[in-house]
Amino acid sequence: MEVDSMANVQVLPIRQQTTATILCCNCGAPIDGTSSAGALCHDCLKLTVDISEGIQREATLHMCRDCDRWHSPPNQWLVAQPESRELLALCLRKLRGLNKVRIIDASFIWTEPHSRRIKVKISIQQEAFQGTIIQQTFEVEYIQAFSQCPDCKKSYTAHTWRASVQVRQKVPHKRTFLYLEQLILRHSAHKDTINIKEVNDGIDFFFAQRNHAEKFTEFLSSVAPVRIKQSRELISQDVHTSKKSYKFSWSVELVPICKDDLVALPLNIARQIGNIAPLTLCYRVGTSINLMDPNTLQIADLSPALFWRSPFKPIADVQELVEFIVMDIEPTGTQNGRWMHAEATVARGSDLGVNDTTYFTRTHLGSILHPGDSVMGYHLTGTNFNNSEFEAIAENKKLASTIPDVMLVKKFYPRKKKAKSRNWRVKRMAKEEGEMLPRKQDQDRMDRDFEMFLRDVEEDQELRNTLALYKAEQRSRGEKMDGVEQEPAPSEMEEDGDESEDAGLTIPMEQLLDEFEEMNMEEDSQG
């Protein structure tokens, strides 16, 4: 029974499924005929089919030397750092035929910076035959050529500006412009200018577009009390299309009142701003004029609109300050912010040893003055002011008695005869000088104004908070750098041992910014 059962079982042969095989028409290698494209093997397919055909292997990139921008056809100039995504996108857009393939990867190949060559490695994919996709990698070399952009061409060509802003102030010093310059640099408000020219009474800013000048005037009106007037000049006109071309000019006039000026207000304005005493002291100029009465510590803000309705000038500025010595001072207890009211007895510094004349006055500097200190102030007794507002105050019976003999302004810090070395510096704008170079006396006056501005920065904490101060870099050991504290020689230490070392005037290092380079800015060699 077992033999019969085994005889009935049939073992069927297992038929293996075989693939159709052909030979490569190029090298004779066996390949799958159902899936091969063009009867070519994988290796021969990569060697015979070039999917990058028609794509450039060399191209030229144009760069502006002055502004470091790259030309993006047809008429656009872009800012791109070396080996950045923006520059890589510009390189890919520059190649013709790249839109017919699919880009898989693109990267820069390092080249020498001075070779003026940029190499890019690009990986692409494309369908060579039906059902066959080929990926290929190739290199493209770009030649860096220099070309000047239209904006830089205008900046180096005369009479190409479209709009100008003329900033003026009718004062005998430049301290306000020095402060305004630091505000412009801190907020980068001058970045759209094509030229900055310094003139006798102010600075001219030139722009290529009208909206840039309008933006700049809005910035000026937001940081200083100004009066703005606009005018335009017709340059050309097309009679067929009625198209006209204009040049626009803005006249920006700053108020002629500066910090620490002695101001005699018109009586009607003094009543409108809080019934303050007409004889006041300007302690700050921001978006409005901040005035203070040292006798009562009353403060008031004079808006630009109210000032320009009936403008007036100060009766004395900082150039007329006189040094006084504090003989005795006694605080009264009244305080307004950082000011403390005090009654002081002072004498002129030039009268010491000559006469015993002293003056009694009320001051707002009670928190910082002590007997023996030097203080700067206005000597009103025996001084003639050619000012109608001051004459109106003197003729008024009630107000004539409020005119003090001396009005103290600020504490005087003794300094060495030698210029103080500073560990900080400020930036200066790169300005074009006028057609005629300044005379020697004018240059000396400008240097004196700049030194006064630097001293104001050291003495005034509020003023320092609105500026950008930078750390001074230490140069070579043998070279003395303006603005860096150096160890004095033993002889100098002996000479200056008995002198005060500008107490309270050192700016902490944590308030200083690190040095950096920026376009259109030059370092100050005096700070």
Side-chain angles (χ1 to χ4, degrees):
M1 293 297 295
E2 294 180 0
V3 175
D4 295 338
S5 62
M6 291 295 295
N8 295 333
V9 177
Q10 296 180 358
V11 179
L12 298 177
I14 299 175
R15 182 176 297 178
Q16 296 181 355
Q17 185 176 1
T18 60
T19 59
T21 303
I22 63 174
L23 300 179
C24 176
C25 65
N26 192 15
C27 64
I31 57 175
D32 186 2
T34 60
S35 60
S36 62
L40 293 173
C41 64
H42 183 265
D43 296 332
C44 294
L45 191 64
K46 292 192 297 181
L47 295 175
T48 56
V49 178
D50 185 12
I51 61 175
S52 65
E53 186 179 2
I55 301 177
Q56 293 177 271
R57 293 294 196 276
E58 291 185 356
T60 304
L61 293 177
H62 293 276
M63 176 185 178
C64 180
R65 288 177 183 264
D66 301 313
C67 59
D68 294 336
R69 292 189 300 174
W70 300 85
H71 182 223
S72 177
N75 54 3
Q76 190 177 7
W77 291 81
L78 304 176
V79 178
Q81 298 296 327
E83 298 190 4
S84 61
R85 298 179 58 184
E86 294 80 7
L87 184 58
L88 183 60
L90 178 62
C91 294
L92 297 179
R93 287 198 302 267
K94 193 75 175 178
L95 294 181
R96 292 194 302 267
L98 203 60
N99 56 348
K100 300 178 182 179
V101 297
R102 180 185 178 187
I103 302 176
I104 300 300
D105 187 23
S107 60
F108 288 99
I109 301 177
W110 186 86
T111 57
E112 292 286 347
H114 62 272
S115 64
R116 293 170 57 185
R117 297 291 187 273
I118 299 176
K119 291 185 178 181
V120 179
K121 183 180 179 181
I122 305 176
S123 300
I124 59 175
Q125 282 185 357
Q126 190 181 22
E127 186 178 5
F129 299 98
Q130 185 177 3
T132 304
I133 298 177
I134 298 179
Q135 180 172 331
Q136 188 175 350
T137 302
F138 61 96
E139 296 180 3
V140 180
E141 183 176 349
Y142 296 87
I143 301 175
Q144 181 180 348
F146 293 109
S147 178
Q148 203 171 36
C149 65
D151 295 336
C152 293
K153 287 181 181 178
K154 289 183 178 181
S155 63
Y156 286 99
T157 307
H159 310 296
T160 57
W161 52 271
R162 180 65 59 178
S164 68
V165 179
Q166 302 172 356
V167 185
R168 299 289 186 270
Q169 187 185 30
K170 299 177 181 179
V171 292
H173 56 81
K174 294 279 187 179
R175 292 169 56 221
T176 304
F177 282 104
L178 293 171
Y179 173 67
L180 185 62
E181 178 183 4
Q182 298 305 315
L183 292 179
I184 293 174
L185 291 175
R186 181 174 183 177
H187 297 87
S188 299
H190 68 301
K191 62 181 181 180
D192 296 324
T193 58
I194 60 176
N195 192 17
I196 302 174
K197 187 175 181 181
E198 188 171 5
V199 294
N200 187 22
D201 294 334
I203 306 176
D204 292 344
F205 299 86
F206 298 94
F207 301 87
Q209 299 180 17
R210 177 184 178 182
N211 57 343
H212 292 165
E214 292 177 343
K215 181 180 177 181
F216 186 72
T217 55
E218 291 177 358
F219 169 78
L220 293 179
S221 60
S222 65
V223 297
V226 297
R227 177 172 60 177
I228 301 176
K229 296 181 181 179
Q230 181 185 0
S231 63
R232 63 180 183 177
E233 178 184 2
L234 180 64
I235 303 301
S236 61
Q237 179 180 4
D238 190 349
V239 296
H240 301 287
T241 60
S242 298
K243 291 185 177 180
K244 300 177 182 179
S245 178
Y246 290 95
K247 277 189 174 182
F248 300 90
S249 298
W250 280 264
S251 174
V252 180
E253 184 179 359
L254 298 171
V255 293
I257 300 176
C258 304
K259 181 176 176 290
D260 298 334
D261 285 356
L262 183 61
V263 179
L265 295 171
L267 300 182
N268 58 340
I269 293 182
R271 287 190 292 266
Q272 293 181 31
I273 59 175
N275 201 20
I276 191 173
L279 193 62
T280 57
L281 189 68
C282 177
Y283 68 93
R284 184 175 55 198
V285 178
T287 54
S288 60
I289 305 172
N290 304 125
L291 304 173
M292 177 185 58
D293 180 16
N295 293 325
T296 60
L297 296 187
Q298 182 182 357
I299 60 175
D301 294 342
L302 180 60
S303 63
L306 184 59
F307 173 82
W308 291 116
R309 197 176 303 162
S310 56
F312 55 90
K313 293 184 178 182
I315 61 176
D317 55 21
V318 292
Q319 297 179 353
E320 302 176 26
L321 289 174
V322 180
E323 182 181 358
F324 293 90
I325 305 298
V326 179
M327 310 303 293
D328 186 21
I329 185 168
E330 183 179 354
T332 61
T334 306
Q335 191 169 359
N336 186 359
R338 61 190 178 104
W339 312 119
M340 179 178 291
H341 191 264
E343 296 179 348
T345 303
V346 298
R348 291 184 58 175
S350 59
D351 291 344
L352 293 180
V354 179
N355 54 52
D356 298 333
T357 305
T358 58
Y359 304 95
F360 175 81
T361 183
R362 294 181 176 89
T363 179
H364 59 289
L365 305 175
S367 58
I368 59 176
L369 290 183
H370 304 88
D373 289 346
S374 298
V375 61
M376 305 298 292
Y378 295 106
H379 191 197
L380 304 182
T381 302
T383 305
N384 295 325
F385 296 105
N386 187 14
N387 187 277
S388 58
E389 286 80 11
F390 184 78
E391 293 176 359
I393 298 174
E395 294 174 357
N396 192 299
K397 296 181 179 179
K398 294 182 180 180
L399 300 177
S401 59
T402 62
I403 300 177
D405 297 333
V406 173
M407 183 173 288
L408 303 182
V409 178
K410 60 181 179 180
K411 184 178 179 180
F412 177 74
Y413 293 90
R415 299 175 184 267
K416 304 175 186 178
K417 295 181 180 179
K418 191 177 181 180
K420 180 182 181 295
S421 58
R422 298 181 173 91
N423 63 341
W424 56 276
R425 64 167 31 150
V426 295
K427 291 287 187 179
R428 302 296 304 275
M429 286 190 303
K431 298 184 289 292
E432 177 187 350
E433 295 182 352
E435 298 177 357
M436 298 181 61
L437 294 176
R439 297 175 299 176
K440 184 178 183 303
Q441 54 267 32
D442 295 338
Q443 185 64 38
D444 295 341
R445 179 176 57 84
M446 294 169 61
D447 295 341
R448 186 170 59 253
D449 292 342
F450 186 73
E451 179 63 25
M452 291 180 61
F453 171 73
L454 295 180
R455 294 184 179 185
D456 289 342
V457 173
E458 290 176 335
E459 298 171 3
D460 194 343
Q461 176 67 28
E462 292 185 358
L463 177 64
R464 201 160 57 234
N465 293 337
T466 61
L467 305 180
L469 306 180
Y470 299 91
K471 299 177 182 177
E473 294 182 351
Q474 181 70 38
R475 297 179 183 173
S476 61
R477 185 174 299 178
E479 179 183 355
K480 189 162 185 179
M481 177 182 175
D482 297 333
V484 176
E485 300 240 359
Q486 298 187 352
E487 186 177 355
S491 59
E492 295 181 359
M493 295 177 63
E494 293 175 1
E495 293 176 0
D496 301 333
D498 298 332
E499 296 180 4
S500 60
E501 294 287 340
D502 302 342
L505 298 182
T506 303
I507 299 179
M509 293 297 293
E510 57 268 14
Q511 298 182 10
L512 304 179
L513 304 176
D514 292 330
E515 186 73 21
F516 69 97
E517 296 180 359
E518 185 176 346
M519 189 172 58
N520 295 334
M521 294 171 64
E522 59 181 8
E523 293 183 356
D524 165 55
S525 61
Q526 301 180 8

